[in-house]
Amino acid sequence: MRNIYDTRQKIKIIFLTVSVILVAGYLYISGKLVDDLSDEEQKRMEIWAEATRIAANPSAQVDFDLVLQIIQSNSSIPVIIADDDDNILYSINIPLPEKDADKYLAEKYSSYKENGKSIRIPIDENTVQYLYYDDSVLLKRLAVYPYLQLSIMILFLLIAYLALMSSKRAEQNKVWVGLSKETAHQLGTPISSLMAWMDLLSMKNVDSRLLADMQKDVNRLSIIAERFSKIGSRPEMTRTDICKVIKGATDYMARRISGKVKMDVRLPEGEIEAMLCPPLIEWVIENLCKNAIDAMNGIGSLAVTLAQKDGQLTIDIKDTGKGIARKHFKTVFRPGYTTKSRGWGLGLTLVKRIIEEYHGGKVYVKESEIGGGTTFRIELKGA
């Protein structure tokens, strides 16, 4: 199997794995730093609680100025001190609103009490107070900062990726258009020459049956050149009987496939009109049929079915080939994807472009089973 997307997929997986490891490491280190600072704040609160206890029972052996300095040093950690009866005795570093300050402080006390950050302060044998505190503003900001920075990084990378893909897609479209136009131009010269040779041969009384066969081949080359010339420019849409278009494409394929391939074409009776470009739709049907025949290695059955419901047209092309893995259902339409030893892997890409960009429809792998065949579905709007 020759598939450049397998290699690209591996590179993407490696890149994503390394990115996840780096992000996980970054978040772990940031989380560790936050935990360490939280531990430091807890130790500070334990010292602050001890200083509060000493301040309530001063003695000559203690430097009271140092105790007051410790108490006053807390300028960032919100603290509430309450007694056994849940009476709030003191609060610090909690901005209170001008209105309903007591209610606001009571709500803060309840939340601090629930978060589990508390320290017991035994004032004397009969009196016990409790210190409740919350993380400082700095610690809260530090805890959020890694995720904010990570979000900005992801957003930046996403924008860069979308810009790169848009630029790459535009460049690919230019290559597609240039290649198609050049192919049509290059085919034009030998086609004109062949037509001139046919006129000359007819004047030489060459067998008319041979000339008729040659004329079919020249007409075929003209159709191919016309198809390539329409890539890159908006094709002219006409109200056309899609049954006739499908029949023309399948009849052409039926004359060129092995007798070991059974082709079953199921079309509704009567005309079914749709706005489409007949040469391009024929190209789509032929491409899908050819891929199906290749997938069956020239042996099996191929069914082409057209159905209409509520103004929606569906064309199913079902084979009994080797099937497609589910992970490749979308990949098969990308340029360069092929499982054949020969080929550019552009057929299904052209199919998708013609159906979705030019005709406003959809084309996708409806179902597939490894070893059990594949069904491609085309959806178009009726006229």
Side-chain angles (χ1 to χ4, degrees):
M1 177 182 291
R2 183 173 63 85
N3 182 6
I4 61 175
Y5 284 95
D6 287 343
T7 302
R8 291 185 183 181
Q9 193 68 20
K10 290 179 181 178
I11 294 174
K12 287 181 181 179
I13 292 173
I14 293 172
F15 175 77
L16 288 174
T17 302
V18 172
S19 300
V20 169
I21 292 174
L22 291 176
V23 169
Y26 174 73
L27 293 178
Y28 172 78
I29 293 173
S30 300
K32 185 67 175 174
L33 177 61
V34 170
D35 290 340
D36 291 343
L37 288 176
S38 180
D39 291 341
E40 286 296 323
E41 287 193 353
Q42 182 177 354
K43 291 177 181 178
R44 286 179 59 189
M45 285 295 94
E46 289 174 354
I47 294 173
W48 198 86
E50 181 62 19
T52 302
R53 186 191 67 79
I54 293 173
N57 296 286
S59 63
Q61 290 81 14
V62 177
D63 186 343
F64 195 72
D65 291 336
L66 178 60
V67 171
L68 289 178
Q69 186 176 353
I70 292 173
I71 294 174
Q72 294 172 357
S73 66
N74 178 25
S75 60
S76 59
I77 303 175
V79 173
I80 294 178
I81 294 179
D83 58 18
D84 281 331
D85 298 324
D86 290 330
N87 297 314
I88 299 175
L89 306 176
Y90 178 74
S91 68
I92 187 174
N93 299 326
I94 300 177
L96 299 176
E98 294 181 0
K99 186 178 180 181
D100 297 329
D102 292 339
K103 181 180 179 181
Y104 178 82
L105 188 61
E107 292 175 352
K108 283 289 183 182
Y109 172 66
S110 297
S111 65
Y112 286 9
K113 192 173 182 180
E114 289 177 1
N115 67 23
K117 292 183 177 182
S118 64
I119 298 174
R120 185 174 182 274
I121 306 175
I123 302 300
D124 54 39
E125 293 181 357
N126 300 317
T127 307
V128 176
Q129 296 178 356
Y130 295 91
L131 183 151
Y132 300 97
Y133 68 98
D134 193 15
D135 293 332
S136 64
V137 174
L138 177 62
L139 185 59
K140 288 180 178 179
R141 289 176 179 175
L142 187 61
V144 174
Y145 177 74
Y147 298 97
L148 177 62
Q149 189 179 35
L150 183 62
S151 299
I152 294 173
M153 289 171 58
I154 292 174
L155 180 61
F156 175 79
L157 290 174
L158 181 61
I159 293 173
Y161 174 77
L162 292 176
L164 178 63
M165 291 303 296
S166 178
S167 174
K168 184 178 179 181
R169 192 175 295 110
E171 184 178 353
Q172 286 177 343
N173 286 338
K174 289 181 180 179
V175 173
W176 272 104
V177 173
L179 179 62
S180 300
K181 298 292 185 185
E182 181 63 19
T183 301
H185 176 72
Q186 293 294 336
L187 284 172
T189 301
I191 289 172
S192 299
S193 179
L194 286 170
M195 293 175 69
W197 276 106
M198 287 182 63
D199 290 339
L200 180 61
L201 290 173
S202 64
M203 295 172 60
K204 297 291 184 179
N205 296 320
V206 175
D207 188 343
S208 60
R209 290 175 298 179
L210 295 176
L211 289 177
D213 288 338
M214 291 181 64
Q215 184 65 52
K216 290 179 181 178
D217 290 334
V218 171
N219 291 340
R220 180 64 184 174
L221 287 173
S222 298
I223 291 172
I224 292 172
E226 182 185 6
R227 290 171 176 175
F228 276 107
S229 69
K230 293 182 182 297
I231 298 298
S233 57
R234 182 59 57 180
E236 182 180 352
M237 301 293 175
T238 59
R239 186 182 293 270
T240 308
D241 179 11
I242 194 171
C243 295
K244 184 178 178 181
V245 176
I246 295 174
K247 190 174 188 308
T250 52
D251 284 349
Y252 173 81
M253 292 301 301
R255 293 192 298 268
R256 285 159 176 79
I257 61 176
S258 166
K260 296 179 180 179
V261 175
K262 179 183 177 182
M263 180 175 283
D264 182 17
V265 181
R266 304 169 188 172
L267 303 174
E269 294 182 0
E271 294 186 356
I272 296 180
E273 293 187 335
M275 294 300 294
L276 48 85
C277 177
L280 292 183
I281 294 297
E282 284 184 357
W283 197 0
V284 166
I285 301 300
E286 290 173 13
N287 249 318
L288 291 175
C289 288
K290 189 177 183 303
N291 278 352
I293 293 167
D294 290 340
M296 296 185 293
N297 295 320
I299 303 174
S301 61
L302 174 62
V304 180
T305 306
L306 171 66
Q308 182 182 33
K309 184 178 181 181
D310 299 329
Q312 183 84 5
L313 305 179
T314 58
I315 306 170
D316 287 344
I317 299 177
K318 183 176 182 180
D319 63 60
T320 56
K322 55 190 175 184
I324 301 171
R326 179 168 291 276
K327 64 179 180 179
H328 291 147
F329 277 16
K330 294 184 178 180
T331 309
V332 293
F333 293 101
R334 296 177 181 173
Y337 181 91
T338 179
T339 59
K340 295 176 284 188
S341 58
R342 298 178 61 185
W344 292 83
L346 301 178
L348 289 177
T349 304
L350 281 170
V351 166
K352 188 175 183 66
R353 187 183 186 118
I354 290 169
I355 294 297
E356 297 189 357
E357 293 188 22
Y358 295 161
H359 290 82
K362 292 181 181 180
V363 59
Y364 53 92
V365 180
K366 179 188 176 186
E367 57 187 8
S368 186
E369 181 182 351
I370 298 299
T374 301
T375 300
F376 280 89
R377 167 162 286 188
I378 300 170
E379 295 181 358
L380 295 170
K381 293 181 181 178

